[in-house]
Amino acid sequence: MATRRLGTQGLEVSELGLGCMGMSDFYAGTDGAGRDERESIATIHRAIELGITFLDTADMYGPFTNEELVGRAIRGKRDQVVVATKFGNVRSADGAYLGINGRPEYVRQACDASLKRLGVDVIDLYYQHRVDRQTPIEETVGAMAELVKEGKVRYLGLSEASPATIRRAHAVHPISALQTEYSLWSREPEDEILPTTRELGIGFVPYSPLGRGFLTGRFRTIDDLPADDYRRNSPRFQGENFQKNLDLLQHVERLAVEKGCTPSQLALAWLLHRGHDIVPIPGTKRVRYLEENAGARAVELSAEDMRRIDAVAPLGVAAGTRYPEAGMHTVNG
């Protein structure tokens, strides 16, 4: 698999990453139904075999247990992977959401805890998961920079940060990557965020590149989701929005048939063709979907193909916001 550079500080990763969140939380329901740790670890091992060596996790996934799972999976394979994790979204052991924390003392505490759970000496890419609007970004990134000096972290990242925040953070310490939702139904980064990261030489890591699974074509009604799957609370999966978004999916499916690939592969190939500074991290906990996603690298899209895709999935095409109202207050911080 080809590699891509994130930022200008030397971070090099596989052109596709693997989002590990769903192995421990959210998508399969809060009761853990549908999860199999052996299958999840097998998926990570298969990713490494395929050259997908950029693994994405966070302390809040589980909470806490996803880092432990990733740590078990990479034991004996540490030198083959680039591990990215995140801090800032605070949850209690029972899963309750406690808010966002970017205070310097918390940054250090969170990093030490992640290192222990992952079983590693250094975190390759450490993101602030959400911007703490009560703590100046200069203080948060200053604390993250200290972790780099101490050898606990190699590169720094932000997630869901606004252009102004990105600039302020980058002035304190070079930011190598910005992680933000970006897909055929979430093209908002193209307005201001991508131009900012490109001006500053910051890599871009799209999360939910398959629209939280919607662009795979596997969901035709809300009842296709487990009863406690958190996507049931997503405005884009509800009521009339769901049907309107199915109309978009049908256009994508027709184009995929023409290209001889799956809708997932088309959606990922579109992102890969948007620029060499973009590294999508589709998430899955199953080997067969991982292998399908990896096949996106073989999908060649011409300028005309890209134009047609852009025509059926323009900016703002998705019905409904990305998150419920409370969640929208935490993005673009």
Side-chain angles (χ1 to χ4, degrees), residues 81-102:
V81 296
V82 174
V83 178
T85 192
K86 316 177 198 75
F87 73 92
N89 274 326
V90 187
R91 294 174 74 188
S92 61
D94 64 3
Y97 181 66
L98 304 178
I100 298 171
N101 193 340

Side-chain angles (χ1 to χ4, degrees), residues 270-281:
W270 176 81
L271 278 170
L272 290 171
H273 281 72
R274 295 293 296 176
H276 286 284
D277 56 339
I278 293 176
V279 179
I281 51 168

Side-chain angles (χ1 to χ4, degrees), residues 42-65:
T43 300
I44 292 173
H45 288 172
R46 180 60 177 145
I48 296 171
E49 290 174 358
L50 292 170
I52 299 174
T53 55
F54 184 33
L55 306 180
D56 184 88
T57 182
D59 57 5
M60 75 167 290
Y61 301 157
F64 316 125
T65 56

Side-chain angles (χ1 to χ4, degrees), residues 1 52 110-111 128 143 239 273 331:
M1 179 169 296
I52 299 174
C111 179
Q128 182 183 21
H273 281 72
V331 302

Side-chain angles (χ1 to χ4, degrees), residues 85-160:
T85 192
K86 316 177 198 75
F87 73 92
N89 274 326
V90 187
R91 294 174 74 188
S92 61
D94 64 3
Y97 181 66
L98 304 178
I100 298 171
N101 193 340
R103 293 192 297 274
E105 62 273 19
Y106 180 75
V107 175
R108 177 174 295 278
Q109 172 191 337
C111 179
D112 288 342
S114 288
L115 287 167
K116 183 176 181 180
R117 284 189 291 265
L118 288 163
V120 300
D121 297 323
V122 60
I123 294 165
D124 297 308
L125 175 59
Y126 201 39
Y127 293 102
Q128 182 183 21
H129 206 163
R130 289 292 186 272
V131 175
D132 180 357
R133 298 172 192 265
Q134 307 306 312
T135 302
I137 192 66
E138 291 82 359
E139 294 184 12
T140 302
V141 175
M144 295 168 72
E146 287 298 317
L147 297 174
V148 175
K149 290 179 182 177
E150 294 171 13
K152 294 182 177 181
V153 170
R154 290 196 172 102
Y155 303 97
L156 301 186
L158 301 175
S159 179
E160 290 287 0

Side-chain angles (χ1 to χ4, degrees), residues 8-9 141 155-157 169-177 202:
T8 59
Q9 293 73 52
V141 175
Y155 303 97
L156 301 186
H170 194 65
V172 175
H173 186 281
I175 301 299
S176 296
I202 298 171

